[in-house]
Amino acid sequence: MKLCYAGIQDRAAWERAGVRLPNFDWKAMCAETERAPAWVHFGAGNIFRGFIAKLQQELLELGLADGGIVAADTFDYDIIDKIYTPFDNMTLMVSLLPDGSMDKEVITSVAQGLRAGAAYPGDMERLKEIFRSPSLQMVSYTITEKGYALTNLAGEFFPVVQADFEKGPEGCSHAMCMTTALLWERFQAGGPPIAMVSMDNCSHNGEKLRSSVMAVVEHWLDRGHVTPEFAVWVANESKVSFPWSMIDKITPRPAKVVEDALAGLGVEDMAPIVTSKNTFIAPFVNAERPQYLVVEDRFPNGRPPLERAGVYMTDRDTVNKTEKMKVTTCLNPLHTALAVYGCLLGYESIAAEMKDPQLKALVEKIGYDEGIPVVVDPKILSPMDFIHEVIDQRLPNPFIPDMPQRIATDTSQKVPIRFGETIKSYAARPDLDVTGLTYIPLAIAGWLRYLLAVDDQGRPMECSSDPMLESLQAQLSAVKLGSPGSASDEVLAPILSNPSLFAEDLCRIGLAGKIGGMLRELLAGPGAVRATLERYMGR
């Protein structure tokens, strides 16, 4: 069995293999998308293929949509060439259930895959044509938080961005400059309204997208590449809106057990590839079943009825509260705590960590004891139900091949939100004692211990990539395993007093001493990480 239009014509074979196939006319969907494109998505990776594309598939199945999505990638063109084109833009979606079973479905709602880059003029001309079309209602993004950044940590524009500023709309390379160039095309075609929807897993994602686009507009305006009328049009959110959203679904890298299972069922050519940009990706997507998407309902040119596919369409305040609930309390802080301690203790699976009594107790304490008292209730989702699902079902699912090493990536960028926001809430409320926090400080101390790149057995350990890794390790260079005194309060103060790291000056609010003391416990010698966890969490 081959994953392509010709291959899925043998419906009986796929059904015998337990794979659901679409019931709508794929060729008619492609033709309608060609005629009247309504949805473009940038970022052709797993979260799009396994979640967002499936939303449109459900609308097609219900007869609530006629066209599909045009997927584009601005970064990794191998994904289009090797994962989209050979398979007629189809994906085999595999939901990994906690009982070990797999729910399998072919996703065929992507009508076209495009390489968004100056080296592909045919693809770029198609994108321009789509953006000129009045039928286009929305453009969505899953390009990761870094995809919106125009500057480095020093606030300097990246060279590629500076080059795009000078060149103007023709031949852009950076995703935000390309977005702005395509909006320029739309404006020149009469400026029909459009919604630009970031669906990336970052705080205030719509504002990040809008801010970057407006910065590009400003620089092009200064250089005479665009008109003042264009700048006014983009700034008018009744013409170009930037809704906020909250997304939640774990879509880890392709699992060998899934690849083997599909091969055993007779599905051909499912082996993963590693692209030239070092993306590990396969024709299938494996993911957990739980998923949440909350979107601010501001679509000036209309939109698909996404609520019929399970999306929460609401106002910005509710999106913000839902995102804050997830990112600061009910999921992301637990993930980060598991990540740093899992790496120190040699774990390679988040699910395996949840069988560790001390680590399970740690995330329960961070979530239930310290997070829930300051949780923001968005009303559309129950925080307690959400965190129960995370701790009791999602994180322990042994069939989700997620690794602490992946979650530990870019931790310095995550800590101010995942832990800092709760610390700020405690510091701001007179009825709570910020110095009484124990388990969030233990997680922070664990991260500082992790930065030494030595595991709990005293062996060298590779730290995951992080833009601040080098500078943080330099600040901790004098701190050594087996020498607790090397982590003195004076050595730690420059880090713990940095509000860009923790959203608060931890020295000022009285938490630095506690964190320093915990770090010194973790540094007593080999085995001290486990001993410290047992001391705080019990055996």
Side-chain angles (χ1 to χ4, degrees):
M1 296 183 294
K2 290 185 177 292
L3 181 64
C4 59
Y5 177 70
I8 65 172
Q9 299 314 299
D10 186 0
R11 297 187 68 92
W14 288 90
E15 288 166 3
R16 282 195 299 272
V19 180
R20 288 196 308 282
L21 295 179
N23 291 313
F24 57 87
D25 186 327
W26 179 79
K27 285 192 172 180
M29 180 273 295
C30 291
E32 177 61 17
T33 309
E34 176 78 19
R35 185 192 71 81
W39 186 351
V40 170
H41 183 89
F42 286 98
N46 287 344
I47 189 69
F48 166 68
R49 298 160 66 217
F51 186 179
I52 297 163
K54 183 168 165 47
L55 299 175
Q56 186 71 357
Q57 174 117 335
E58 291 184 31
L59 298 182
L60 285 160
E61 294 276 20
L62 291 168
L64 298 173
D66 298 316
I69 304 175
V70 176
D73 208 281
T74 61
F75 174 72
D76 198 336
Y77 305 127
D78 281 352
I79 293 177
I80 302 298
D81 288 337
K82 298 178 180 180
I83 296 297
Y84 277 68
T85 303
F87 301 94
D88 289 336
N89 307 312
M90 298 181 181
T91 296
L92 183 48
M93 175 63 201
V94 181
S95 295
L96 303 171
L97 308 183
D99 64 1
S101 62
M102 299 180 188
D103 185 63
K104 301 174 288 294
E105 179 180 10
V106 174
I107 306 297
T108 65
S109 61
V110 178
Q112 191 172 15
L114 297 173
R115 298 158 297 185
Y120 304 96
D123 290 22
M124 285 306 302
E125 185 51 46
R126 173 58 180 156
L127 272 173
K128 291 177 182 179
E129 177 188 346
I130 291 170
F131 268 75
R132 290 191 292 263
S133 174
S135 64
L136 184 62
Q137 296 178 318
M138 64 182 291
V139 180
S140 54
Y141 296 79
T142 50
I143 58 175
T144 77
E145 187 166 4
K146 288 180 282 190
Y148 304 96
L150 301 176
T151 61
N152 60 22
L153 290 172
E156 303 158 336
F157 287 110
F158 295 122
V160 64
V161 173
Q162 194 65 53
D164 284 350
F165 287 165
E166 300 303 328
K167 285 185 296 187
E170 289 300 321
C172 293
S173 299
H174 191 277
M176 294 296 96
C177 300
M178 189 174 299
T179 291
T180 312
L182 291 166
L183 286 172
W184 172 239
E185 287 287 331
R186 191 168 182 83
F187 173 75
Q188 294 178 98
I194 189 152
M196 313 296 288
V197 192
S198 172
M199 295 182 178
D200 270 298
N201 182 23
C202 56
S203 182
H204 300 177
N205 47 21
E207 181 54 37
K208 284 183 168 61
L209 174 56
R210 185 178 191 274
S211 176
S212 293
V213 168
M214 292 307 300
V216 177
V217 171
E218 179 184 335
H219 282 269
W220 282 353
L221 185 61
D222 289 345
R223 290 163 173 78
H225 293 311
V226 297
T227 64
E229 292 78 12
F230 172 64
V232 170
W233 179 76
V234 177
N236 182 350
E237 292 217 25
S238 70
K239 300 294 185 182
V240 183
S241 69
F242 294 86
W244 295 14
S245 71
M246 188 285 287
I247 193 167
D248 181 26
K249 186 180 180 74
I250 297 173
T251 52
R253 59 187 284 164
K256 179 66 173 165
V257 64
V258 176
E259 178 191 350
D260 291 345
L262 295 176
L265 293 170
V267 184
E268 302 173 43
D269 303 323
M270 288 290 105
I273 64 163
V274 179
T275 70
S276 59
K277 298 288 189 178
N278 208 33
T279 304
F280 188 80
I281 193 168
F284 65 90
V285 172
N286 46 233
E288 64 173 353
R289 173 167 282 175
Q291 59 186 34
Y292 300 91
L293 180 59
V294 184
V295 179
E296 181 186 2
D297 198 356
R298 285 194 305 122
F299 290 76
N301 200 29
R303 62 170 175 80
L306 293 168
E307 65 275 11
R308 295 291 300 274
V311 179
Y312 295 89
M313 304 302 299
T314 184
D315 56 68
R316 177 174 293 188
D317 187 53
T318 302
V319 173
N320 195 35
K321 287 178 178 177
T322 310
E323 188 264 343
K324 192 169 185 180
M325 176 199 75
K326 169 193 170 245
V327 174
T328 70
T329 307
C330 294
L331 174 58
N332 297 48
L334 317 186
H335 243 165
T336 292
L338 289 171
V340 295
Y341 277 106
C343 292
L344 287 168
L345 294 173
Y347 282 104
E348 295 185 350
S349 159
I350 293 292
E353 287 189 73
M354 290 300 287
K355 294 181 179 178
D356 184 308
Q358 285 84 43
L359 295 181
K360 184 172 187 289
L362 176 62
V363 296
E364 288 174 338
K365 294 288 189 182
I366 291 172
Y368 295 130
D369 291 11
E370 296 185 342
I372 286 294
V374 295
V375 73
V376 175
D377 187 351
K379 305 301 183 185
I380 59 170
L381 294 170
S382 160
M384 192 59 79
D385 289 348
F386 188 92
I387 196 171
H388 272 307
E389 182 183 58
V390 167
I391 290 176
D392 298 336
Q393 299 177 40
R394 298 175 65 183
L395 295 179
N397 185 342
F399 303 100
I400 299 294
D402 215 359
M403 304 174 68
Q405 291 77 13
R406 182 186 79 85
I407 306 299
T409 302
D410 298 338
T411 299
S412 69
Q413 309 301 293
K414 300 169 180 176
V415 164
I417 301 296
R418 298 186 178 194
F419 298 130
E421 288 300 313
T422 294
I423 291 170
K424 279 171 59 179
S425 295
Y426 271 78
R429 281 180 45 175
D431 59 320
L432 295 171
D433 177 12
V434 68
T435 63
L437 290 169
T438 297
Y439 306 103
I440 288 175
L442 186 59
I444 293 172
W447 176 48
L448 299 179
R449 170 67 180 81
Y450 161 89
L451 289 169
L452 302 187
V454 177
D455 72 10
D456 194 33
Q457 301 305 310
R459 300 171 298 208
M461 174 190 77
E462 183 177 354
C463 290
S464 301
S465 63
D466 188 309
M468 294 191 69
L469 182 63
E470 188 175 333
S471 63
L472 288 167
Q473 288 182 329
Q475 291 181 77
L476 292 169
S477 60
V479 177
K480 304 295 181 187
L481 179 64
S483 177
S486 62
S488 66
D489 290 344
E490 292 73 25
V491 167
L492 299 179
I495 295 176
L496 296 178
S497 63
N498 187 346
S500 67
L501 275 176
F502 301 104
E504 278 279 7
D505 178 340
L506 301 185
C507 295
R508 182 185 64 81
I509 64 173
L511 274 182
K514 177 177 283 190
I515 293 168
M518 291 172 165
L519 176 58
R520 289 186 279 275
E521 293 179 65
L522 294 166
L523 289 169
V529 172
R530 174 62 69 186
T532 302
L533 286 170
E534 289 178 347
R535 189 153 47 247
Y536 284 94
M537 313 311 308
R539 289 182 175 273

